[in-house]
């Protein structure tokens, strides 16, 4: 998309139709968000697999994973439902070109959208991955300690 917009061709398919502008950016943002949150789900699954509690380990199943993937997909698409509402094609003052900007129309929405993306892309997924990674390491170390203690006592 970026290559088509600013690269060799210098054509932006989103500026010819308001509907295509909204659909293209909605799909690009939503699908890009899915990858981050699927990695978070993988971290949660590793945490659940490493639990000593059988009840928690039971949550690490194909049935639960399928439902979690479906819910995550819906949430990622819902997270960007505002794009079809707020994105507009506008004329950029400096170049007098029609633009369907990836950060939304100029103004307060663009500022809020930038912080929203920072939180939803840059802060929440790495934080969740970090927390569940630490919990997983703690469980693995506890199991290792139990194994070593049981081995010494034998």
């Amino acid at each position: 998309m970026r290559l088509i917009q600013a690269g060799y061709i210098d054509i932006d398919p989103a500026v010819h139709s308001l509907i295509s502008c909204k659909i293209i950016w909605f799909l690009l943002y939503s699908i890009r968000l899915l990858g981050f949150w699927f990695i978070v789900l993988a971290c949660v699954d590793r945490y659940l697999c490493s639990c000593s509690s059988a009840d928690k380990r039971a949550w690490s199943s194909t049935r639960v994973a399928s439902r979690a993937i479906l819910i995550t997909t819906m949430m990622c698409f819902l997270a960007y439902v505002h794009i079809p509402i707020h994105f507009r094609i506008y004329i950029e003052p400096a170049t007098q070109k029609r633009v369907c900007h990836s950060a939304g129309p100029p103004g307060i929405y663009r500022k809020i959208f930038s912080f929203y993306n920072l939180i939803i892309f840059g802060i929440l997924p790495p934080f969740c991955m970090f927390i569940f990674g630490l919990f997983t390491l703690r469980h693995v170390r506890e199991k290792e300690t139990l194994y070593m203690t049981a081995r010494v006592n034998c």
Side-chain angles (χ1 to χ4, degrees):
M1 183 61 147
R2 301 243 189 247
L3 184 64
I4 292 172
Q5 287 176 330
Y8 303 106
I9 302 171
D10 196 29
I11 296 172
D12 187 355
V15 299
H16 299 295
S17 165
L18 182 60
I19 293 171
S20 67
C21 167
K22 293 178 178 199
I23 290 172
I24 287 170
W25 287 110
F26 172 72
L27 290 175
L28 284 174
Y29 275 107
S30 300
I31 291 170
R32 185 174 66 174
L33 185 61
L34 283 172
F36 290 93
W37 287 100
F38 286 163
I39 294 171
V40 172
L41 289 179
C43 292
V44 172
D45 186 59
R46 292 298 94 200
Y47 160 73
L48 292 171
C49 285
S50 69
C51 287
S52 56
S53 166
D55 292 333
K56 286 184 181 177
R57 277 195 319 271
W59 281 89
S60 178
S61 69
T62 307
R63 181 180 54 84
V64 174
S66 299
R67 290 181 182 168
I69 288 170
L70 180 66
I71 291 169
T72 302
T73 302
M74 287 190 305
M75 295 301 291
C76 287
F77 279 96
L78 282 175
Y80 285 106
V81 76
H82 57 89
I83 287 178
I85 297 167
H86 292 288
F87 269 44
R88 302 276 185 264
I89 295 174
Y90 65 96
I91 309 279
E92 191 173 293
T95 61
Q96 295 298 316
K97 285 178 137 182
R98 292 170 48 108
V99 178
C100 177
H101 199 274
S102 64
I108 190 73
Y109 175 77
R110 186 177 287 182
K111 291 176 185 160
I112 292 170
F113 188 54
S114 297
F115 283 111
Y116 180 76
N117 277 332
L118 173 67
I119 292 167
I120 206 165
F121 276 114
I123 295 174
L124 282 179
F127 179 74
C128 292
M129 289 180 226
F130 178 72
I131 294 299
F132 282 105
L134 286 178
F135 287 158
T136 303
L137 285 175
R138 188 182 76 193
H139 286 156
V140 169
R141 287 200 176 120
E142 286 173 1
K143 285 184 180 182
E144 185 178 85
T145 305
L146 282 170
Y147 176 73
M148 294 304 284
T149 306
R151 196 167 174 215
V152 169
N153 290 338
C154 288

